[in-house]
Amino acid sequence: MTIYTDAMDELAERGVYKREIYAPFYIASFALHNFNLNNQKRKFHYVSKSLPNNRLHILFCSPAGYMKSYFLRQMAGDDYAIFRGSGTKIGYEQEMTSPAFTGTASTNNGTKTRYVGAAEEYSDGLMLIDEFKGLTDALGSQGNGQMESQLLAALDSGQIVKRLSNERIEYKTKLTLWTGIQPTVLNISSGLGRRLNYMLFIPTRKDNEMLLDIQRSQQGMKPDELAMKKLWNRQNSWIGELNKIEKITFSPEIWDEYKKAKIYSYETTFYNNLLLGMTLAQNDIEREIYVELKDPNTKAVFEHEKEWRKKINQGVTYVQMMSILHNMGGSVELATLYDECTMIGLNIAQVTDLITDMIRYGLIQKRGNKIEVYKK
């Protein structure tokens, strides 16, 4: 049994909604994180004669109240979460700004005070953040060059060098970030944007009803402490088995798949990390790890990620509105649309502004009191 099967079976027992879509990314990230820590120590896997800092950072984008914190708690945040007792260091914060993530310093009456950031405190761990406002600001449509460069350094090479007016901060982090943000305009073509694994959930009324049914079925569900300890022990043993690895080989066919999928060259490092994480999680650890894009689970995460990145590039708020309209037959009364949009956290003023923009872009049209998907 692999750590992938172990985790998915436990999530099935809990009745976790859409586990087959979202959980594989967390499992792959966990596997890659521990592989990276091992490689940083043993130095057996190089890329272009450089030791990579392989990590799969997860950014879950969904409306308030839908799945972001839920998956963080299920996978690593709660006492009986899937990876909580694996031996991997785990930090959990509800909210965080960019300076709190990378670290900062201040001077008061001549006394210097250094504030250690989460990226340094959890240098070898998983960092879970419910809402990462600093990341939202850095990826915003206007952007923030300084903030983006600091976060990029933490999430890419891991080498942080900050020159403040009163202090120099320098360290290397191997932290893996799991976080979430609410739908907004994101610039994922930026250096920082390209380093993140995006997951997107746009809830429908059916999703909402399914979640209500699942919440009802989960009432009174107690953890099986013995079963969880056995699961964590297997994960800990798996981490130890990583010492067997001497070589990582990527199938030449992967690059052909990238070309077919029109993957940009600057995205290959990210996709390689995703495929390596899935391969490690789903197979026994051997001396040589051969990475392919053949098994159904790996293909599924690859296709999901391509589609999510495409939608986020198009603009999540627009995609949300189009999803609502299509789910309601392509045409809906304005009053009904206002009511439906409350489910994804949009008020009347926000919906009105969104409709105005989408009419201007030729995505929708207004006929009397109805909003319709634009038909050429």
Side-chain angles (χ1 to χ4, degrees), residues 233-355:
N233 285 337
R234 289 194 294 272
Q235 291 170 354
N236 191 263
S237 297
W238 177 88
I239 291 170
E241 288 180 3
L242 293 171
N243 287 314
K244 295 179 183 177
I245 303 175
E246 296 179 13
K247 185 179 181 181
I248 303 294
T249 301
F250 284 83
S251 167
E253 294 177 358
I254 287 176
W255 310 101
D256 295 331
E257 291 293 333
Y258 287 168
K259 289 176 183 177
K260 289 179 185 177
K262 298 182 179 180
I263 300 300
Y264 295 114
S265 60
Y266 53 73
E267 293 180 309
T268 56
T269 299
F270 158 76
Y271 279 107
N272 285 349
N273 284 339
L274 177 59
L275 301 187
L276 176 55
M278 286 294 292
T279 301
L280 290 165
Q282 292 190 99
N283 297 280
D284 293 332
I285 301 301
E286 305 287 351
R287 186 190 70 82
E288 180 179 0
I289 301 297
Y290 193 71
V291 183
E292 297 180 282
L293 186 49
K294 286 186 176 181
D295 93 274
N297 294 327
T298 303
K299 280 187 175 181
V301 298
F302 180 72
E303 293 299 329
H304 283 313
E305 184 58 22
K306 279 197 309 172
E307 185 63 21
W308 288 331
R309 294 175 88 84
K310 177 183 175 182
K311 287 183 175 179
I312 288 171
N313 262 324
Q314 292 172 342
V316 179
T317 51
Y318 302 141
V319 172
Q320 282 186 131
M321 181 65 79
M322 294 299 285
S323 175
I324 289 173
L325 289 170
H326 283 301
N327 285 324
M328 300 187 76
S331 177
V332 61
E333 294 281 349
L334 186 57
T336 303
L337 183 61
Y338 283 139
D339 182 56
E340 195 72 11
C341 284
T342 60
M343 183 181 69
I344 58 173
L346 297 178
N347 59 38
I348 291 177
Q350 290 171 318
V351 175
T352 301
D353 290 343
L354 188 55
I355 289 171

Side-chain angles (χ1 to χ4, degrees), residues 23 28 50 52 62 93 107 119 158 183 195 206 244 256 273 285 294:
S50 177
S62 71
E93 301 278 349
T107 300
R195 266 65 177 187
K206 183 178 179 181
K244 295 179 183 177
D256 295 331
N273 284 339
I285 301 301
K294 286 186 176 181

Side-chain angles (χ1 to χ4, degrees), residues 102-108 110-117 120 146 150 160-171:
T102 56
T104 189
S106 66
T107 300
N108 187 18
T111 302
K112 291 183 179 180
T113 303
R114 165 87 186 278
Y115 300 97
V116 175
E120 185 174 6
Q146 181 183 12
Q150 292 170 2
I160 306 295
V161 180
K162 292 177 67 174
R163 170 67 72 178
L164 305 175
S165 60
N166 53 1
E167 183 75 26
R168 177 184 171 87
I169 297 176
E170 184 173 1
Y171 61 90

Side-chain angles (χ1 to χ4, degrees), residues 117-135:
E120 185 174 6
E121 182 180 354
Y122 292 94
S123 175
D124 293 340
L126 299 172
M127 187 71 230
L128 285 57
I129 306 172
D130 275 337
E131 291 282 346
F132 197 165
K133 185 179 184 300
L135 193 61

Side-chain angles (χ1 to χ4, degrees), residues 11 34 37 42-43 58 84 92 103 137 155 162 188 261 270 292 330 352 362:
L11 291 169
N34 284 286
L37 296 183
R42 295 174 50 229
K43 298 178 173 58
I58 294 177
R84 192 66 185 184
Y92 196 179
D137 293 341
L155 302 180
K162 292 177 67 174
I188 73 171
F270 158 76
E292 297 180 282
T352 301

Side-chain angles (χ1 to χ4, degrees), residues 14-15 210-221:
R14 300 178 184 203
M210 290 291 292
L211 284 166
L212 287 170
D213 290 340
I214 288 171
Q215 287 172 2
R216 180 186 61 189
S217 69
Q218 290 173 334
Q219 298 304 306
M221 186 183 292

